[in-house]
Amino acid sequence: MTAHNLLTDNPELYEARFPDPDRLAARWTEDCLRRHRAGPRVLDLGCGTGRDAAHLHGGGRTVTGADLSEAMLDHARTHHPGPSYVHADLHDFDLGEFDAATCLDSALLYCHTNDQLAGFLTACHRALAPGGLLVAEMRNGAYFLGRTDLLDTPAVNSFTWHGVHYRSTTTLTVDRTAQLLRRVRVWTSADGMPPVEQRSAWRLLFPQEAHALLAAHGFEVLELHDGPGPRTEPPWREGLLPGSTTDADRLHLVARRAR
């Protein structure tokens, strides 16, 4: 199997590698939206396979899922129907007006440069009605200040899909000059597929930097914390309120369009 990105080009494989049968990420998002009384129109940016968008839609919201991958969008339309799914680039989009925009699983951090981050926030501000919410969940750049535990040893994961055993070895490095967390992931499988190497990166965004960027683009930060969230340990569950620290591996953001 050849692929530009093995998981992105094969959405069913993505869902097998990252199962979320309880829709924890979408339930956490819905909790944020309810606590801050967001209206029903939601734009899910970087919607991927559409699982979270469909869950929000099933709860009564009017959802548009946006992604750059046509393979993901085709999968979402077939397997997670309900929302409208559209092709869009996070760096600059104009998709109408919404009451909330969500951006989960570090999708925001694919905005690598300051110009790309500014483009994303400008487009979000344009997309949101006055008082609309931006809800994001991502890696926390502050975690890598003085810590190397995620960098010292490659992470190895394996799973079986359609009877084939897949194995991934992921190495993370910090590019301090570009302020990026770079990832090299090598895939192998038991079906004789040649090894596939994929390279990607996330912007290392720091809490105070996030505050400044959001304020500069017309947002008021309502929540910025390291957990609990859908990918923290222990994970978020119903009834848990946001914490007050920004020290752990994940960063959770709720901001309101202030002007």
Side-chain angles (χ1 to χ4, degrees):
M1 183 188 304
T2 59
H4 174 65
N5 183 309
L6 188 66
L7 293 183
T8 301
D9 290 353
N10 297 276
E12 290 186 14
L13 186 63
Y14 178 96
E15 291 192 341
R17 169 62 184 88
F18 298 108
D20 186 12
D22 297 327
R23 298 298 183 263
L24 184 57
R27 285 166 40 223
W28 172 81
T29 303
E30 177 63 32
D31 182 72
C32 293
L33 297 176
R34 287 181 180 177
R35 282 191 293 105
H36 294 285
R37 298 180 176 85
R41 301 170 299 170
V42 176
L43 173 61
D44 184 17
L45 295 162
C47 68
T49 66
R51 294 181 298 188
D52 299 330
H55 183 89
L56 294 172
H57 171 86
R61 298 190 180 275
T62 302
V63 183
T64 297
D67 204 277
L68 193 60
S69 167
E70 291 289 0
M72 287 286 196
L73 292 169
D74 288 344
H75 177 91
R77 294 181 185 110
T78 300
H79 296 277
H80 302 291
S84 298
Y85 292 105
V86 298
H87 182 269
D89 188 331
L90 290 183
H91 303 158
D92 184 23
F93 54 88
D94 191 353
L95 301 171
E97 184 176 87
F98 301 87
D99 301 305
T102 66
C103 194
L104 306 180
D105 197 22
S106 295
L108 187 161
L109 303 184
Y110 289 111
C111 298
H112 290 171
T113 68
N114 291 341
D115 285 346
Q116 289 172 351
L117 284 167
F120 171 81
L121 292 172
T122 297
C124 284
H125 189 276
R126 181 173 57 234
L128 290 172
L133 291 184
L134 171 61
V135 178
E137 182 270 338
M138 67 198 97
R139 285 187 175 270
N140 180 11
Y143 185 81
F144 296 91
L145 294 173
R147 294 188 180 95
T148 63
D149 55 295
L150 297 179
L151 310 174
D152 292 337
T153 305
V156 178
N157 294 99
S158 60
F159 66 101
T160 300
W161 180 63
H162 288 186
V164 177
H165 186 73
Y166 290 84
R167 176 186 174 96
S168 66
T169 302
T170 303
T171 303
L172 300 176
T173 57
V174 172
D175 180 339
R176 292 177 177 83
T177 301
Q179 206 170 306
L180 295 176
L181 181 66
R182 297 194 181 276
R183 177 178 67 185
V184 178
R185 177 174 285 160
V186 178
W187 287 94
T188 58
S189 71
D191 65 353
M193 174 188 77
V196 174
E197 180 181 284
Q198 296 168 189
R199 294 177 178 269
S200 58
W202 296 287
R203 172 67 178 259
L204 288 177
L205 193 61
F206 299 96
Q208 291 303 313
E209 182 183 21
H211 269 285
L213 282 168
L214 286 154
H217 287 86
F219 287 92
E220 174 194 4
V221 175
L222 305 177
E223 298 177 13
L224 190 65
H225 60 92
D226 56 15
R231 295 171 180 82
T232 61
E233 190 57 48
W236 172 86
R237 65 179 187 276
E238 278 78 3
L240 289 181
L241 294 175
S244 59
T245 60
T246 55
D247 188 60
D249 181 39
R250 309 300 295 192
L251 196 61
H252 309 84
L253 165 73
V254 180
R256 188 185 305 281
R257 178 182 163 177
R259 55 177 168 82

